[in-house]
Amino acid sequence: MNLDSLIQDYNNQGIATHNRRLDFIQNDVQIPSNLIQKLKDFQIAIPSWALGTGGTRFGRFSGGGEPGTLEEKISDVGLLHRLNKSSGAISLHIPWDIPSDANAIKKLAADHGLAFDAVNSNTFQDQANQALSYKFGSLQHTDRAVRKQAIDHNIEVIKHGVDLGSKSITVWLSDGSCFPGQLNFRRAYERTVESLKEIYAALPSDWKLFLEYKAYEPNFYSTTVGDWGQSYSMVNKLGDKAYTLVDLGHHLPNANIEQIVSLLLMEGKLGGFHFNDSKYGDDDLTAGSMKPYQLFLIFNELVDGMDAKGMNHAKDLGWMIDASHNVKDPLEDLLQSVEAIQIAYAQALLVDRKALEAAREANDVVRCQEILQGVARTDVRALVAQARLELGGVLNPVEFYRSAEIRKQLIQQRGSKTVATGL
Ligand code: RM4
Ligand code: MN
Ligand code: MN
């Protein structure tokens, strides 16, 4: 039986239960009339570097059937999108995923209903054929020739993106220092800005540059783009097309990410997101698996801040997952992440903003908490499933993926020893 009819059968079996759950929430909660449409419009890009099993520096335990080529990666993302109808884009990492024939890759993606989200450069590793080393940094490097090599690589990445119809580049630098005294902070900052300006100058007019920050790792003493303040001050120096990108795992413990998001949005400098979750550091775990309330609070600020500026939720920011999967099937993990993001978004859309604002003005702290937690404790999964169903997706993607034994088929097709490039 083909996938479409399997999905049809599966949905038919679950529809009565689904309708009961949907009725319940519709009777229980005041649902804005455009909520389902907003959920339907909201697409989350899947990273090309997270379709295989990730590892730690201690080991890697593959589950088999990993995509060995870019074509197979696109087919995996296409499959996710076929199931959830909300993963309609892929974000490529260069040189891990260089399209050899851009037109053919573009067509393949389009056949799966996929667009290309931000392209990502990589100057945090040395490649086999590379002339100069990034051991002591790339855009900040003391040697102009190394900086030039890194700048040229970023411009190359933009060119690949143009060929694919991508509209943004994400720059994440591991530049920094491992020991006190190693680096002149001011010079490193200035050199980085200077290099970024050259990359920025190569941006097509309808493109955006996202500058991602990270507090530490692989440099353990300082990171040159270490927090949102550093990224924000740099993108301000670049121009209107440069924005800060927030990766949820890149903060020091207990950072108030929702406040950072709120202020960056207010300043018009929030460009995009890398979703994941973490307990200790840049753990790259499934979105919403550790701190679902924080994810909701972040979406609460996103919706509030975007509405304040009349922004389009689906299109005006880059929504991407950046995760790694050590012990889960990567495809199941990504389905879980997308669902968690949609749940947090749906909940944020349910917040009674007038009531919240009134309670804030009255300094009614208890009421503020009641409003937010009331929403966070509402089970909105039937709303998310309804949006998926209306788009032709699957009622419960993870359950369907298992019942259709998709991983088993992928292992049969690709073998159990394939290794995907990426994290
Ligand atoms: C970094 C960062 C970047 C990602 C690389 C692979 O920690 O999050 O976004 O491109 O990992
Ligand atoms: Mn990231
Ligand atoms: Mn990261």
Side-chain angles (χ1 to χ4, degrees):
M1 216 197 279
N2 74 17
L3 193 61
D4 287 344
S5 31
L6 278 175
I7 291 175
Q8 194 59 54
D9 279 1
Y10 173 86
N11 283 349
N12 288 344
Q13 276 168 34
I15 195 72
T17 309
H18 167 68
N19 284 335
R20 183 169 43 76
R21 290 176 182 155
L22 188 63
D23 273 355
F24 178 82
I25 185 166
Q26 278 169 342
N27 290 322
D28 200 40
V29 178
Q30 184 68 36
I31 297 170
S33 57
N34 56 6
L35 182 139
I36 296 285
Q37 189 56 47
K38 285 191 172 161
L39 286 176
K40 283 159 81 173
D41 293 341
F42 201 76
Q43 298 292 320
I44 300 138
I46 303 296
S48 70
W49 60 98
L51 292 160
T53 308
T56 67
R57 65 189 198 278
F58 299 107
R60 186 179 178 282
F61 305 96
S62 172
E66 293 186 14
T69 61
L70 179 53
E71 285 78 358
E72 288 179 352
K73 288 181 176 186
I74 289 173
S75 145
D76 277 9
V77 180
L79 172 71
L80 295 176
H81 189 48
R82 175 67 195 88
L83 303 186
N84 67 20
K85 293 288 175 184
S86 297
S87 309
I90 179 166
S91 185
L92 293 194
H93 225 303
I94 310 286
W96 290 336
D97 291 296
I98 297 186
S100 48
D101 177 348
N103 281 333
I105 288 292
K106 213 173 156 180
K107 176 155 187 318
L108 181 67
D111 289 346
H112 286 286
L114 306 177
F116 287 92
D117 211 295
V119 278
N120 299 258
S121 58
N122 179 345
T123 61
F124 48 85
Q125 288 176 321
D126 284 348
Q127 306 303 325
N129 53 356
Q130 190 179 307
L132 302 163
S133 172
Y134 296 133
K135 181 170 178 181
F136 296 107
S138 59
L139 298 186
Q140 73 165 24
H141 203 281
T142 49
D143 182 352
R144 164 75 194 157
V146 179
R147 301 202 295 276
K148 173 90 173 53
Q149 175 182 280
I151 293 164
D152 289 348
H153 165 68
N154 275 276
I155 295 174
E156 195 64 40
V157 171
I158 294 173
K159 284 190 185 134
H160 284 302
V162 168
D163 291 344
L164 294 169
S166 177
K167 293 285 172 213
S168 49
I169 178 171
T170 300
V171 179
W172 173 67
L173 303 173
S174 67
D175 292 35
S177 64
C178 264
F179 292 96
Q182 183 188 331
L183 197 68
N184 180 321
F185 297 140
R186 273 181 289 123
R187 286 218 179 111
Y189 178 100
E190 283 162 4
R191 285 176 179 141
T192 303
V193 170
E194 214 177 86
S195 305
L196 284 169
K197 280 185 178 165
E198 290 187 46
I199 298 166
Y200 186 83
L203 272 189
S205 59
D206 59 344
W207 269 55
K208 292 178 182 173
L209 182 149
F210 300 142
L211 184 60
E212 185 173 354
Y213 58 88
K214 180 172 178 175
Y216 71 96
E217 193 200 42
N219 271 297
F220 291 109
Y221 175 61
S222 75
T223 308
T224 300
V225 192
D227 62 20
W228 76 281
Q230 279 147 295
S231 170
Y232 176 71
S233 82
M234 287 180 176
V235 295
N236 266 324
K237 291 189 172 74
L238 297 180
D240 292 348
K241 292 181 286 178
Y243 297 86
T244 295
L245 182 137
V246 175
D247 180 315
L248 294 182
H250 287 195
H251 303 87
L252 291 173
N254 302 333
N256 188 333
I257 304 176
E258 51 271 30
Q259 187 180 17
I260 295 172
V261 165
S262 163
L263 298 183
L264 279 171
L265 249 180
M266 183 185 76
E267 295 291 349
K269 279 296 185 190
L270 181 64
F273 250 86
H274 276 177
F275 291 106
N276 49 52
D277 210 344
S278 55
K279 177 82 176 152
Y280 301 106
D282 187 24
D283 306 344
D284 281 335
L285 302 173
T286 325
S289 61
M290 289 284 168
K291 293 169 281 195
Y293 190 51
Q294 183 193 53
L295 187 60
F296 160 69
L297 293 174
I298 290 168
F299 264 99
N300 182 46
E301 295 302 333
L302 285 167
V303 166
D304 193 59
M306 292 183 88
D307 286 350
K309 285 190 176 287
M311 290 166 77
N312 179 318
H313 296 178
K315 304 234 163 342
D316 291 347
L317 292 183
W319 306 112
M320 293 162 270
I321 290 173
D322 183 5
S324 174
H325 329 280
N326 299 337
V327 294
K328 287 179 181 168
D329 177 325
L331 296 179
E332 292 186 356
D333 196 344
L334 288 161
L335 289 171
Q336 287 185 313
S337 276
V338 172
E339 172 99 13
I341 293 163
Q342 290 176 304
I343 287 172
Y345 178 45
Q347 288 174 329
L349 292 171
L350 285 182
V351 172
D352 183 342
R353 298 201 176 273
K354 269 209 191 119
L356 180 61
E357 232 19 77
R360 285 169 170 172
E361 288 299 315
N363 295 308
D364 188 345
V365 185
V366 169
R367 179 90 189 107
C368 293
Q369 181 181 329
E370 290 293 311
I371 291 170
L372 289 185
Q373 288 194 334
V375 171
R377 288 169 178 156
T378 303
D379 185 354
V380 297
R381 286 176 296 177
L383 297 175
V384 173
Q386 180 61 22
R388 209 159 37 226
L389 198 63
E390 289 182 20
L391 289 167
V394 179
L395 274 176
N396 182 331
V398 171
E399 194 185 68
F400 174 81
Y401 176 91
R402 290 198 162 188
S403 69
E405 299 190 309
I406 291 180
R407 179 57 61 186
K408 202 169 142 195
Q409 293 170 38
L410 291 173
I411 292 174
Q412 272 160 13
Q413 284 163 27
R414 299 170 180 169
S416 55
K417 296 265 180 280
T418 51
V419 177
T421 47
L423 279 178

